[in-house]
C-alpha cells in the first residue's frame, strides 16, 4: 500500500493537522491564523491587562480556539487550545513567564478550552464529512448515470467495454481495464482506457483478476486477497453468471470504501448492459437463422415445384400413351406429345437457370467475354425460343449501327431468354412484345416492353430479389429465379437492370451495358 | 441398308433413344458404351458417321476423336452439354464435323447426320450452290438472292463461300478467320462479327431474325440447311 505521503495517513495527529481534505482545503492556514490570533490576544492582554483582568484575558484566549475548531477539526483545535492556555498561563498568570498549574481554577479554564475545542471541532468535522459525502455521492451518481446513458446506446460489445473503462477511469482518476474470458475461460483484455497500462502488464494483477473471475470475489488493492496486486479487481456479474472482471488502479490515492463500492456499481451496470447486448445478438442470430431457413425451405419448395410440375405432365402424358395409346386419336396423341415436349423444354430452361444461379452464388462467375453483336444475340434468342413466342407478336427496334460489346454471349442470351419468358408469362396472348435497343453516350440499353398487367407499385426493385414470386399472390408457375439471375448476370457485366411500368399498361424491363466494358477478363 | 452410324455414349437411355430414332430413319445402328469399345467399333464396324459423347467415363471424348482422326476422315458429330463451349470449339478444331448440345431432338440429329453424309459424298467443288433463295456461282463470283444480283465485298464473298460450301454444318470462328484472313489472330474476331452483320444486311430479309446465317453462340456460324 502506498504510504509515502504523510498527508494521506488518516491516523496521525500530524497528518490531521496538515492534511488536505476532500474539498481541497488545507488545515495549515487556519492553524497559522489561530497562532497569529494567539499572538494578537497576548499582545492585547499585555497592553490592556490592568484594565481587562486575568479572567477576561482568559476568555479572549478562547477566540483562537473557537476559530481553529470551526475552521479545522478536533485535533488542530485541541492543539490551539493547548497553545492558548500555555500562553495565558505563562504571560498573564503570576508568576509571569513560568508555566504554573497550582490554582485549580485555572485548571477549570483549561478544561473549558479543551471542551470547546473538542465540541466545536467535532461538529466541524461532522459537517465537513457530510458535505464531502454528499459531494461524493453526487459525483458517483453522475458517473453511474453517465455510464448508464452511454451503455444504453452501445450497440456492440467492443464499444460497450470501451465506454465502461473510459467512464471508470475518468470518474476514479485511475487506470481501468475490462477483462473478458476467451473460449478456454482464460481472461483476456477486452478494453482498456489507454494502451500500455500497468494493470495489463503486472503478473500479480493478472493473477488477481483471474482469481476474481473464478471465485466471484473482489481481490487486490484494499482487499485481503492478492495484496501484492496494484489494482482493485471486481467481478462483472449478473445473478446467473460472471461475464468478466473490471480492474481499477488509482493513479494517486488508495481506494476508499465509497470508491470501491462505486467500482462495484459500475461493474454491475456493465454486466447488465453486456447481458442486454448478448441477448440482442442472440435474438439477431436466431432471426437471421430463421430467415435463412425460410429461404432454404422456399428454395426447396420452389425447386421441387418447378421440377415436379413438368415431370407430372410428362409422366402423365407418357403413361397415357404407353398404357392406353389405342384410346386416343391422332390429334389427341399430338396434343399429349407436344405437351411432353413443352414440359421438357421448361425443365431444361429451369435447369439452366439453376446452373447459372449456382455459378453466380458460388462467386466464381467467370465471364467468358468476347466481342459480340447485340443484334446477333437477340436473333439467336428469338430463334431458340420461337415455340414459346409463337403466340405473341414480336417487334424489334434497332438502330442501324450498334457497336460491338465485349460480353458473355451465353449469359446475356440467358438474360434475354428470361426477360422474354417473363413478358410472355405476364401478358395476354396475341399482344405485342417490343424489343428495342438504344444507344446513349456510354451505354447500350435493351428494353423489353410488354402489354401485360405491369408490376405492382413499389415492387419494381423487389422483383429482382431471389424468390420474389414466393411472396407475391400471383399464381403463375415458376420460381422467380429468372429475374434474380438476370440481375446477377447484368451486374457481373457492370451493367444495370431495372423495371418500370409502361405508360398505358404493361411493363418495361431494361438492362444497360457499358460500352467501355472491354476490361479483359480476369 | 442405310448408312452405318456408330453411337459412342455411356448413357444407356441415350443409346436406346438413338437406336429407335436411327433405325426408324433407316440407318444401321452400332453402339459403344465406352471410349475403348468405341475405338474398337470404329475400326471393326467401319461406320459412315460417328456420334461421340464428350463426357465418357474412361477417356476424354476429344482424345477419342484425336485417335480416330489419326487414320480416318469419317464424319464425327459430338454431343456435349451447355456451358462447355470451349470443349466444343476445340473438338471442332481437331476435326469434329458438327456438334449437338444435350438435350437435343432426334430430328435435329438426323439433319446433322444427313449434312455430314452429303459432305462426305461430294467433297469435290461444285461451281454452283443453291440454298433456299440464295444462289452462288463460284466460277462467276456471282451471288443472287431470290433472283436478284447482290454485290459483296471480297471478304464478304469469301465468308459466304466458306459458309455455303459447308451449308448445314457449323463453321467455327477460327476456321472462318483462318480461311478469310489467313491468320489465327484473335484480333480478327471483332472484324468477323462486323462482316457477318454486314453480310446479313445484304442477304437476310430480316437481319434481326436471320434465316440463312445462323449464329452458334460461342462457336461459330452455320448456313441454314434448307432440306
Amino acid at each position: 500500500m502506498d504510504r509515502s505521503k504523510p498527508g494521506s495517513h488518516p491516523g496521525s495527529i500530524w497528518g490531521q493537522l496538515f492534511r488536505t481534505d476532500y474539498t481541497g482545503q488545507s488545515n495549515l492556514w487556519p492553524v497559522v491564523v489561530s497562532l497569529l490570533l494567539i499572538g494578537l490576544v497576548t499582545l492585547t492582554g499585555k497592553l490592556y491587562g490592568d484594565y481587562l483582568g486575568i479572567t477576561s484575558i482568559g476568555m479572549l484566549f478562547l477566540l483562537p480556539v473557537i476559530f481553529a475548531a470551526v475552521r479545522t477539526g478536533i485535533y488542530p483545535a485541541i492543539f490551539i487550545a493547548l497553545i492558548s492556555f500555555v500562553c495565558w498561563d505563562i504571560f498573564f498568570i503570576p508568576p509571569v513567564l513560568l508555566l504554573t498549574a497550582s490554582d485549580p481554577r485555572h485548571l477549570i479554564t483549561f478544561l473549558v478550552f479543551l471542551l470547546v475545542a473538542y465540541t466545536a471541532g467535532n461538529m466541524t468535522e461532522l459537517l465537513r464529512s457530510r458535505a464531502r459525502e454528499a459531494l461524493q455521492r453526487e459525483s458517483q451518481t453522475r458517473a453511474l448515470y453517465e455510464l448508464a446513458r452511454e451503455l444504453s446506446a452501445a450497440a456492440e460489445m467492443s464499444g460497450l467495454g470501451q465506454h465502461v473503462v473510459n467512464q471508470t477511469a475518468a470518474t476514479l482518476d485511475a487506470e481501468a481495464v475490462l477483462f473478458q474470458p476467451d473460449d478456454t475461460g482464460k481472461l483476456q483484455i477486452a478494453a482498456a482506457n489507454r494502451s500500455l497500462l500497468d494493470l495489463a502488464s503486472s503478473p500479480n494483477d493478472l493473477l488477481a483478476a483471474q482469481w476474481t473471475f473464478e471465485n466471484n470475489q473482489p481481490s487486490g488493492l484494499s482487499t485481503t486477497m492478492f495484496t501484492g496486486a496494484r489494482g482493485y479487481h471486481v467481478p462483472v456479474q449478473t445473478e446467473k453468471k460472471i461475464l468478466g472482471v473490471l480492474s481499477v488502479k488509482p493513479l494517486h490515492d488508495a481506494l476508499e470504501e465509497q470508491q470501491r463500492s462505486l467500482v462495484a456499481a459500475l461493474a454491475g451496470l456493465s454486466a447488465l448492459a453486456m447481458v442486454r447486448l448478448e441477448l440482442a445478438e442472440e435474438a439477431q442470430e436466431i432471426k437471421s437463422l430463421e430467415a435463412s431457413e425460410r429461404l432454404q425451405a422456399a428454395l426447396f419448395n420452389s425447386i421441387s415445384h418447378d421440377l415436379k410440375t413438368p415431370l407430372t405432365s410428362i409422366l402423365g402424358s407418357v403413361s397415357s400413351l404407353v398404357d392406353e395409346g389405342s384410346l386416343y386419336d391422332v390429334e389427341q396423341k399430338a396434343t399429349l406429345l407436344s405437351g411432353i415436349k413443352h414440359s421438357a423444354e421448361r425443365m431444361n430452361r429451369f435447369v439452366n437457370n439453376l446452373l447459372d444461379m449456382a455459378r453466380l452464388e458460388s462467386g466464381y462467375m467467370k465471364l467468358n467475354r468476347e466481342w459480340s453483336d447485340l443484334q446477333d444475340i437477340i436473333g439467336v434468342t428469338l430463334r431458340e425460343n420461337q415455340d414459346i413466342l409463337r403466340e405473341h407478336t414480336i417487334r424489334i427496334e434497332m438502330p442501324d449501327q450498334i457497336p460491338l460489346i465485349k460480353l458473355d454471349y451465353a449469359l446475356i442470351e440467358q438474360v434475354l431468354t428470361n426477360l422474354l419468358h417473363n413478358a410472355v408469362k405476364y401478358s395476354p396472348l396475341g399482344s405485342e412484345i417490343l424489343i428495342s435497343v438504344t444507344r446513349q453516350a456510354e451505354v447500350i440499353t435493351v428494353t423489353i416492353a410488354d402489354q401485360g398487367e405491369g408490376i405492382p407499385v413499389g415492387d419494381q426493385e423487389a422483383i429482382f430479389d431471389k424468390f420474389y414470386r414466393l411472396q407475391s399472390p400471383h399464381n403463375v408457375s415458376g420460381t422467380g429465379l429468372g429475374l434474380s439471375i438476370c440481375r446477377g448476370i447484368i451486374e457481373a457485366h457492370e451493367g444495370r437492370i431495372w423495371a418500370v411500368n409502361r405508360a398505358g399498361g404493361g411493363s418495361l424491363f431494361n438492362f444497360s451495358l457499358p460500352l467501355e466494358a472491354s476490361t479483359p477478363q480476369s | 441398308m442405310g448408312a452405318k452410324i456408330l453411337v459412342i455414349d455411356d448413357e444407356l437411355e441415350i443409346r436406346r433413344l438413338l437406336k429407335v430414332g436411327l433405325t426408324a430413319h433407316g440407318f444401321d445402328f452400332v453402339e459403344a458404351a465406352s471410349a475403348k469399345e468405341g475405338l474398337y467399333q470404329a475400326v471393326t464396324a467401319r461406320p459412315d458417321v460417328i456420334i461421340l459423347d464428350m463426357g465418357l467415363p474412361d477417356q476424354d471424348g476429344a482424345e477419342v476423336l484425336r485417335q480416330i482422326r489419326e487414320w480416318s476422315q469419317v464424319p464425327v458429330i459430338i454431343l456435349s452439354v451447355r456451358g462447355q463451349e470451349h470443349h466444343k470449339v476445340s473438338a471442332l478444331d481437331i476435326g469434329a464435323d458438327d456438334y449437338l448440345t444435350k438435350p437435343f431432338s432426334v430430328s435435329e440429329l438426323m439433319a446433322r447426320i444427313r449434312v455430314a453424309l452429303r459432305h462426305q459424298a461430294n467433297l469435290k467443288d461444285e461451281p454452283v450452290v443453291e440454298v433456299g433463295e440464295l444462289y452462288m456461282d463460284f466460277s462467276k463470283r456471282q451471288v443472287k438472292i431470290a433472283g436478284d444480283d447482290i454485290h459483296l465485298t471480297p471478304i464478304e464473298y469469301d465468308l459466304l463461300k466458306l459458309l455455303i460450301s459447308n451449308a448445314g454444318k457449323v463453321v467455327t470462328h477460327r476456321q472462318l478467320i483462318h480461311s478469310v484472313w489467313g491468320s489465327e489472330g484473335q484480333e480478327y474476331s471483332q472484324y468477323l462479327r462486323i462482316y457477318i452483320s454486314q453480310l446479313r444486311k445484304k442477304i437476310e430479309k430480316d437481319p434481326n431474325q436471320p434465316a440463312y446465317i445462323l449464329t452458334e453462340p460461342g462457336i461459330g456460324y452455320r448456313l441454314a440447311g434448307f432440306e
Side-chain angles (χ1 to χ4, degrees), chain A residues 489-501:
Chain A
I489 291 172
I490 294 299
E491 283 175 358
H493 281 84
E494 292 114 39
R496 200 165 79 81
I497 186 163
W498 72 101
V500 287
N501 279 325

Side-chain angles (χ1 to χ4, degrees), chain A residues 3-25:
Chain A
R3 298 195 174 193
S4 58
K5 292 190 204 96
S8 66
H9 186 204
S12 81
I13 292 173
W14 192 252
Q16 279 279 315
L17 271 181
F18 299 111
R19 74 160 185 211
T20 305
D21 74 9
Y22 187 76
T23 54
Q25 288 172 328

Side-chain angles (χ1 to χ4, degrees), chain B residues 10-42:
Chain B
D10 57 313
E11 293 288 341
L12 179 61
E13 297 292 325
I14 304 280
R15 293 203 308 276
R16 194 175 281 162
L17 168 73
L18 293 184
K19 183 173 185 178
V20 172
L22 287 166
T23 48
H25 280 79
F27 291 112
D28 196 0
F29 178 80
V30 186
E31 62 187 312
S34 68
K36 199 177 156 205
E37 202 189 330
L39 282 167
Y40 173 77
Q41 292 282 18

Side-chain angles (χ1 to χ4, degrees), chain A residues 49-363:
Chain A
D50 295 343
Y51 174 70
L52 289 169
I54 290 171
T55 316
S56 301
I57 291 168
M59 299 289 271
L60 282 180
F61 269 106
L62 259 180
L63 291 176
V65 176
I66 290 167
F67 178 81
V70 168
R71 298 302 299 270
T72 60
I74 296 171
Y75 293 109
I78 286 173
F79 172 70
I80 293 299
L82 213 68
I83 305 281
S84 290
F85 180 75
V86 167
C87 285
W88 182 55
D89 193 316
I90 288 176
F91 295 114
F92 298 101
I93 294 171
V96 175
L97 296 180
L98 272 178
L99 188 59
T100 51
S102 54
D103 196 331
R105 283 177 306 172
H106 300 153
L107 213 61
I108 288 171
T109 310
F110 178 57
L111 284 176
V112 170
F113 273 33
L114 284 182
L115 202 67
V116 168
Y118 177 81
T119 315
N122 199 20
M123 296 270 279
T124 308
E125 280 193 359
L126 208 66
L127 278 174
R128 271 200 194 172
S129 87
R130 287 212 180 133
R132 197 168 63 219
E133 273 170 25
L135 219 62
Q136 258 177 351
R137 259 200 306 279
E138 193 214 327
S139 88
Q140 288 184 359
T141 310
R142 195 169 44 232
L144 287 172
Y145 169 72
E146 292 279 324
L147 185 63
R149 202 166 49 88
E150 284 174 6
L151 292 189
S152 68
E156 49 166 346
M157 212 49 110
S158 63
L160 184 139
Q162 201 58 47
H163 281 310
V164 170
V165 293
N166 288 350
Q167 190 63 41
T168 309
T171 312
L172 295 166
D173 193 21
E175 282 183 359
V177 175
L178 179 69
F179 292 97
Q180 279 179 314
D182 59 18
D183 294 339
T184 62
K186 195 172 180 303
L187 286 184
Q188 304 290 342
I189 295 172
N193 71 313
R194 56 190 162 91
S195 53
L196 292 173
L197 291 177
D198 288 348
L199 273 178
S201 57
S202 139
N204 270 342
D205 279 290
L206 295 180
L207 281 173
Q210 188 70 36
W211 184 88
T212 294
F213 178 67
E214 279 157 16
N215 294 281
N216 196 12
Q217 280 171 36
S219 70
L221 194 67
S222 314
T223 68
T224 53
M225 293 307 304
F226 293 89
T227 47
R230 293 193 280 185
Y232 176 60
H233 308 275
V234 293
V236 176
Q237 58 170 332
T238 63
E239 280 173 16
K240 283 181 193 156
K241 64 172 183 171
I242 309 179
L243 301 161
V245 171
L246 180 61
S247 300
V248 174
K249 176 181 168 284
L251 293 182
H252 305 297
D253 292 321
L255 284 173
E256 286 177 24
E257 175 61 35
Q258 272 174 322
Q259 288 173 303
R260 286 204 299 275
S261 58
L262 176 61
V263 175
L266 289 169
L269 207 56
S270 315
L272 283 179
M274 281 157 80
V275 167
R276 176 181 64 81
L277 265 194
E278 269 187 9
L279 288 176
E281 277 170 13
E282 271 170 31
Q284 190 57 45
E285 254 171 49
I286 289 170
K287 227 165 132 184
S288 61
L289 204 69
E290 276 174 355
S292 91
E293 269 172 13
R294 265 205 309 279
L295 200 65
Q296 288 279 356
L299 177 64
F300 222 78
N301 285 341
S302 77
I303 287 177
S304 70
H305 169 87
D306 276 26
L307 286 176
K308 288 240 166 124
T309 309
L311 261 182
T312 308
S313 147
I314 291 170
L315 282 176
S317 306
V318 166
S319 57
S320 304
L321 288 170
V322 169
D323 299 340
E324 35 203 28
S326 56
L327 288 178
Y328 304 101
D329 62 25
V330 176
E331 204 173 311
Q332 287 167 325
K333 276 183 186 165
T335 308
L336 287 176
L337 288 169
S338 83
I340 293 170
K341 187 173 175 226
H342 184 79
S343 297
E345 280 166 353
R346 185 172 145 194
M347 276 179 80
N348 187 38
R349 273 200 312 279
F350 182 64
V351 168
N352 284 347
N353 270 332
L354 272 185
L355 290 174
D356 283 342
M357 187 188 74
R359 270 176 81 194
L360 284 166
E361 299 264 298
S362 69

Side-chain angles (χ1 to χ4, degrees), chain A residues 348 352 356 370-371 375-376 379-380 382-383 396 398 400 404 409 413-414, chain B residues 82 103 190 193-194 197 200-201 207-210 214-218 221:
Chain A
N348 187 38
N352 284 347
D356 283 342
E370 49 183 354
W371 288 107
Q375 186 180 27
D376 192 339
V380 167
L382 293 177
R383 188 179 91 212
I396 301 170
M398 183 128 27
D400 272 349
L404 298 179
Y409 198 107
E413 190 193 331
Q414 186 70 42
Chain B
R82 173 181 177 266
Q190 295 187 55
R193 305 309 191 269
I194 294 167
S197 166
R200 277 176 175 158
K201 283 188 181 123
N208 288 326
Q209 302 190 60
L214 308 180
T215 300
E216 296 290 330
Y221 299 93

